[in-house]
């Protein structure tokens, strides 16, 4: 099938359109945008300047991709939005390009689904296979790891990191880093242990799941200070890559780590 462009579409002459692309009615594609092979842009979608879409993406009506960042210091500098392959971007999703104050780009991986009205702000990075449910809001500079699921109506504060394979419950707010492989939810999001169901569905073996469960209890529920708990995990739970990753993520956190739901006073030290 050849590229099909509706007569009402408005495409900047500097834009690059791949093969087998379908562009519906009233689509707008801005300057120096790139649309990869096999992509389907439904009616009334807007692809702003300096936005790159990979192959086989499906963008639904009224989504705006690559819009100017909602940042008071933005003065029209040339920044970018880069999106991988095979993503589903549903109705009224907004994804903003980067800023020179940040990484100069907003980066989306492949095989993601962004449900209706979700928002990805400037300078965010979202890994492969992520799912943002309806009306999830990511503030600027947020990092979302691969295979993360964020349930509907949740919000993530700027500069926060969400580790890979985490599951975040709906109608929740997150102002501290969420470690990889964890389950978090609540109005003020807190941890409830490893995301065991999600891990098993993604092929993690029993050793990894048991190791993460044991490490979680040591770090978050033993009563030890954070550094002491991490040191004990490193000493007692060896040879499990997922546990090593959990420990390194927590050690690298600059924002502080989301506490266990039983820690009423907030982030433990």
């Amino acid at each position: 099938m050849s590229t099909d462009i509706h007569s009402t579409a408005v495409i900047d002459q500097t834009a690059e359109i791949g093969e087998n692309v379908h562009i519906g009615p009233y689509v707008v594609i801005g300057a120096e945008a790139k649309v990869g092979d096999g992509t389907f842009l439904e009616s009334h979608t807007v692809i702003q300047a300096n936005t790159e879409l990979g192959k086989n993406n499906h963008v639904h009506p009224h989504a705006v991709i690559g819009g100017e960042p909602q940042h008071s210091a933005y003065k029209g500098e040339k920044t970018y939005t880069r999106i991988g392959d095979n993503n589903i971007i549903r109705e009224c999703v907004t994804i903003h390009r980067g800023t020179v104050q940040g990484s100069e780009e907003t980066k989306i991986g492949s095989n993601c689904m962004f449900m209706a009205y979700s928002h990805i702000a400037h300078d965010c990075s979202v890994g492969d296979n992520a799912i943002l449910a309806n009306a999830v809001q990511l503030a600027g500079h947020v990092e979302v790891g691969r295979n993360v699921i964020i349930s509907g109506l949740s919000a993530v504060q700027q500069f926060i990191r969400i580790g890979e394979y985490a599951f975040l419950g709906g109608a929740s707010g997150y102002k501290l880093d969420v470690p990889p492989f964890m389950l978090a939810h609540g109005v003020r999001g807190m941890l409830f242990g490893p995301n065991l169901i999600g891990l098993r569905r993604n092929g993690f073996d029993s050793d990894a799941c048991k190791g993460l469960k044991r490490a979680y209890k040591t770090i978050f529920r033993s009563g030890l200070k954070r550094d002491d708990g991490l040191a004990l995990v490193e000493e007692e739970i060896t040879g499990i890559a997922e546990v090593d990753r959990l420990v390194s993520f927590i050690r690298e956190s600059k924002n502080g780590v989301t506490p266990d739901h039983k820690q009423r006073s907030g982030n433990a030290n």
Side-chain angles (χ1 to χ4, degrees):
M1 146 177 164
S2 61
T3 293
D4 177 21
I5 301 175
H6 195 273
S7 60
T8 59
V10 178
I11 302 174
D12 190 274
Q13 62 182 1
T14 63
E16 298 180 18
I17 309 299
E19 298 180 355
N20 301 322
V21 172
H22 178 89
I23 299 176
Y26 305 104
V27 169
V28 177
I29 301 177
E32 300 184 40
K34 297 179 181 179
V35 179
D37 297 348
T39 291
F40 182 10
L41 304 179
E42 292 198 33
S43 67
H44 298 89
T45 61
V46 178
I47 309 300
Q48 297 279 33
N50 308 316
T51 296
E52 299 176 9
L53 286 166
K55 297 179 180 180
N56 302 314
N57 291 290
H58 187 171
V59 184
H60 288 250
H62 302 287
V64 180
I65 312 301
E68 291 187 357
Q70 296 176 144
H71 192 301
S72 60
Y74 180 73
K75 304 301 180 185
E77 299 92 347
K78 186 175 183 178
T79 55
Y80 301 90
T81 308
R82 295 188 168 100
I83 296 175
D85 305 327
N86 306 308
N87 295 292
I88 298 172
I89 300 172
R90 293 303 303 253
E91 297 84 358
C92 301
V93 168
T94 50
I95 302 175
H96 290 172
R97 57 184 179 264
T99 65
V100 295
Q101 291 79 18
S103 61
E104 300 188 6
E105 67 176 10
T106 297
K107 188 174 181 180
I108 308 296
S110 298
N111 305 302
C112 298
M113 178 185 288
F114 305 126
M115 297 186 193
Y117 290 94
S118 56
H119 172 68
I120 300 171
H122 60 87
D123 302 293
C124 284
S125 174
V126 179
D128 296 341
N129 307 305
I131 298 175
L132 273 57
N134 297 71
V136 167
Q137 309 291 293
L138 301 186
H141 310 275
V142 168
E143 297 179 22
V144 177
R146 67 186 185 278
N147 295 86
V148 166
I149 297 175
I150 306 179
S151 303
L153 299 171
S154 291
V156 182
Q157 186 173 296
Q158 59 265 31
F159 293 100
I160 295 305
R161 297 186 304 151
I162 309 297
E164 61 269 25
Y165 294 95
F167 182 98
L168 278 58
S172 302
Y174 298 91
K175 64 177 184 177
L176 298 170
D177 292 346
V178 177
F181 317 114
M182 293 296 120
L183 171 66
H185 63 90
V187 174
R188 297 187 178 183
M190 293 188 176
L191 300 180
F192 284 76
N195 177 25
L196 296 176
I197 293 175
L199 294 175
R200 290 174 183 138
R201 286 176 176 171
N202 282 282
F204 288 80
D205 61 26
S206 60
D207 288 341
C209 293
K210 289 177 181 177
L212 286 168
K213 189 173 181 179
R214 183 180 170 196
Y216 183 85
K217 289 181 178 179
T218 300
I219 296 167
F220 292 98
R221 294 183 178 171
S222 65
L224 294 171
K225 290 186 176 180
R226 182 60 49 81
D227 287 342
D228 293 338
L230 294 171
L232 186 59
V233 167
E234 289 177 315
E235 179 182 342
E236 294 187 347
I237 308 175
T238 59
I240 300 176
E242 293 81 5
V243 172
D244 294 341
R245 168 61 179 153
L246 174 64
V247 170
S248 66
F249 182 98
I250 294 172
R251 287 196 187 282
E252 293 165 1
S253 176
K254 297 178 182 179
N255 304 304
V257 174
T258 299
D260 179 77
H261 68 285
K262 295 181 179 179
Q263 298 173 352
R264 296 181 181 178
S265 60
N267 187 36
N269 295 315

